[in-house]
Amino acid sequence: MPGITGYIRRNPEVPGTILDQMVASLTQESGCLTGQFRNEALGLAVGWVSQASSFAAYQPAGNGGRDCCLIFHGEDYGGALQHVLARYETQGVQCFDAINGIFSGVLVDSQARKVVLFNDRYGLSRVYWHENRDGFYFASEAKALLQVLPHLRRMDARGLGEYVTCGCTLENQTLFPGLSLLPGAAAWEFSPGGDVRKRAYFDPTTWMNQEPLAAPVYYPALRETFKRVAPRYLRAPQPVALSLTGGVDCRMVLAAAHPPPGTLPCYTFGGMLRECADVRIARKVARVSRQPYQVLALTPDFFTQFPQLARDSVYRTDGAMDVSGATGLFLNRLAREVAPIRLTGNYGGEILRGLVPFRPRYPREGLFHPELRPHLEAAAATYAAQRQGHRVGFVAFKQVPWHHYARFALEQSVLTLRTPFLDNELVALAHRAPPAPVGDKGPARRLIAEWQPALGRIATDRGWSARLTWLPRRMQRFCTEFLPRAEYVYDYGMPQWLVRMDRFIAPLHLERLFLGHQKYAYYRLWYRNQLSAFVKAVLLDSQTLSRPYLNGRFVEKMVRDHVTGRGNYTLEIHKLLTTEMIERHLIAHP
């Protein structure tokens, strides 16, 4: 996907051709622009891949004196990027604090004989790095470094333990030993022959230590800030489309930005069984807003494409996204045909309502080798330690770059993803929110009803509407609470005793009754039916069963029980397929 890669060498004998390999590993989509920049005096070689007409399409940018230049990856929504080199001359690395977006890059100061490697304050635009006696290597994707540093191609026990337990690696660690992540707001300075000066241009505690606002003060500030912020994300040199769901966050974006009729295409992802709640509600929202709308749905072709989609989901994200990302990859390719920029309400619930959707979960006993157990327990302890403190601070600076990165990276590999809920102004304000129940949608609902009352009258996927009477609200709440839980129980969460019963009534196809109301992916059934051949081919392979961290006999029994309907091991199959894709396509053959 688009990004940067390069090295700052200490050893003049570092082969110059390795940059070509690193850039090639980032090029996964047709139509992207690539380039390279070298400064022999500083030992710097940097390459990039960018989408045409993006912020980073024309590299490098220089100042008037040509003694400074900038290689930039990402987007800036505040207009500061065009002045960053001028700011650098007076402010030094603090110039990056004015950039409002998700980004990373390299600034080259030839006069001061200095290179600065930097990223956004959340660290969502990842920069992997490795240092050895030859120099410092960096890249937006791990595979670029694995390509040229073969000694890094093995699974790290700590990283594996964190992935298995938490679904992601923690504390800027990775799945590969010796490979780390640049922390958020980094501005690391390199000089020839000197050590790296690891600086930061922003300290998250400056937001976390703000005094909370009283509710009567916070709400007007939220209203004014979001109304100003949202329109920024519709401005682009390329077409923008809004990914609509049945919730409040994308509706809040639509109400605040208030685009003219017919100017913002909208779409919703759907499944193969029926129109889910997101589709039914989003269609009404688009109609009321007088915007064009369509459904982008999975088709039976998805099953034939799944092996390649699963492999690509893992490969493109360096193992951060599991194989269930295949559905998102399939649908985002359809979204790219609508518009190359996808505007979403992502992270609204997390930033404004403090939602924390990931927590430690120990794997099924017996699945992994006992030697991995200490790493699983250490992962849970690390999570507990990091979870302490300011809730919004944890969400913005840990949960977003660690947990949410997986889906972000997958979608960014196909198109440009935008969300106003990570805007610097909005996140700074969210740190000052008054105490409220986690998940409280009151402020969002009120804003929608004030900005566009007609949107406020449309019920959400959780049954809320600004004009529901007491009785309909109680009835809708029952339906909206029961159906999602029934759907979850019938798919991912089906207990083992119920699976054994379901096996005998499978010919009745009860999935047509329970599934498809809220979700469009049903992996428990897919792994048992349409995808069973792929699951068996990968997980029952002797190469897989011989992995030192797995209990091969347990894996064999688990797979056979699932595909024959005697058990539900959906989440375990997700993890095992993903680790095997990492072994085969990132470690053995990056």
Side-chain angles (χ1 to χ4, degrees), residues 14 26 45 47 161 178 186 194 212 217 232 240 300 379 411 517 530:
V14 173
L26 299 183
V217 178
R232 297 172 182 169
V240 179
E411 294 168 344
H517 297 283
Q530 295 95 331

Side-chain angles (χ1 to χ4, degrees), residues 197-446:
R197 185 181 180 189
K198 297 180 179 180
R199 303 181 61 187
Y201 63 83
F202 171 77
D203 183 354
T205 60
T206 60
W207 284 356
M208 297 181 203
N209 292 337
Q210 299 175 104
E211 288 294 324
L213 297 174
V217 178
Y218 174 74
Y219 179 78
L222 176 63
R223 179 178 57 203
E224 188 274 333
T225 300
F226 199 78
K227 187 71 172 176
R228 182 177 63 255
V229 162
R232 297 172 182 169
Y233 294 81
L234 274 70
R235 303 180 194 129
Q238 294 178 296
V240 179
L242 176 63
S243 178
L244 268 178
T245 68
V248 298
D249 297 318
C250 52
R251 194 181 309 189
M252 188 174 163
V253 175
L254 189 58
H258 202 54
T263 61
L264 183 62
C266 300
Y267 55 76
T268 306
F269 295 155
M272 290 180 266
L273 285 180
R274 58 168 56 84
E275 286 194 344
C276 63
D278 278 344
V279 169
R280 296 193 302 272
I281 296 168
R283 182 181 287 114
K284 295 177 183 178
V285 171
R287 185 187 305 124
V288 167
S289 301
R290 293 189 290 171
Q291 302 298 343
Y293 177 79
Q294 60 183 302
V295 180
L296 306 179
L298 293 171
T299 65
D301 289 344
F302 169 77
F303 298 119
T304 58
Q305 297 178 29
F306 180 81
Q308 186 63 41
L309 290 168
R311 180 260 186 197
D312 285 350
S313 297
V314 176
Y315 183 78
R316 286 169 180 247
T317 63
D318 299 309
M321 187 69 220
D322 65 34
V323 294
S324 69
T327 48
L329 189 56
F330 183 94
L331 293 169
N332 276 280
R333 285 173 173 168
L334 299 179
R336 182 178 56 188
E337 297 176 10
V338 179
I341 299 176
R342 179 184 167 204
L343 178 62
T344 76
N346 288 0
Y347 319 123
E350 289 77 8
I351 296 297
L352 295 186
R353 300 188 291 280
L355 299 181
V356 179
F358 89 110
R359 292 175 176 81
R361 180 181 182 273
Y362 286 116
R364 200 174 296 271
E365 193 68 35
L367 177 57
F368 289 95
H369 194 280
E371 290 184 0
L372 191 63
R373 184 72 189 187
H375 297 287
L376 306 180
E377 295 172 350
T382 299
Y383 175 93
Q386 292 294 332
R387 183 64 186 80
Q388 303 300 312
H390 200 290
R391 190 178 189 92
V392 178
F394 172 80
V395 167
F397 299 105
K398 297 173 183 178
Q399 178 173 291
V400 165
W402 300 346
H403 173 71
H404 292 298
Y405 171 79
R407 195 163 297 280
F408 172 83
L410 182 68
E411 294 168 344
Q412 280 282 94
S413 74
V414 179
L415 38 65
T416 298
L417 189 73
R418 289 183 171 185
T419 174
F421 290 100
L422 287 181
D423 191 276
N424 291 347
E425 287 188 64
L426 185 65
V427 179
L429 177 61
H431 279 78
R432 305 190 69 185
V438 174
D440 178 24
K441 297 181 181 179
R445 295 167 174 172
R446 183 178 169 189

Side-chain angles (χ1 to χ4, degrees), residues 511-538:
E511 66 271 15
R512 297 171 185 169
L513 176 63
F514 290 109
L515 299 183
H517 297 283
Q518 298 285 336
K519 306 295 183 184
Y520 51 76
Y522 331 110
Y523 276 96
R524 182 184 74 86
L525 289 181
W526 290 349
Y527 283 155
R528 193 180 76 182
N529 300 318
Q530 295 95 331
L531 302 178
S532 61
F534 174 75
V535 170
K536 290 187 289 185
V538 174

Side-chain angles (χ1 to χ4, degrees), residues 490 501-512 528:
Y490 198 82
M501 293 177 58
D502 180 63
R503 177 188 179 194
F504 295 104
I505 59 177
L508 298 178
H509 294 288
L510 293 183
E511 66 271 15
R512 297 171 185 169
R528 193 180 76 182

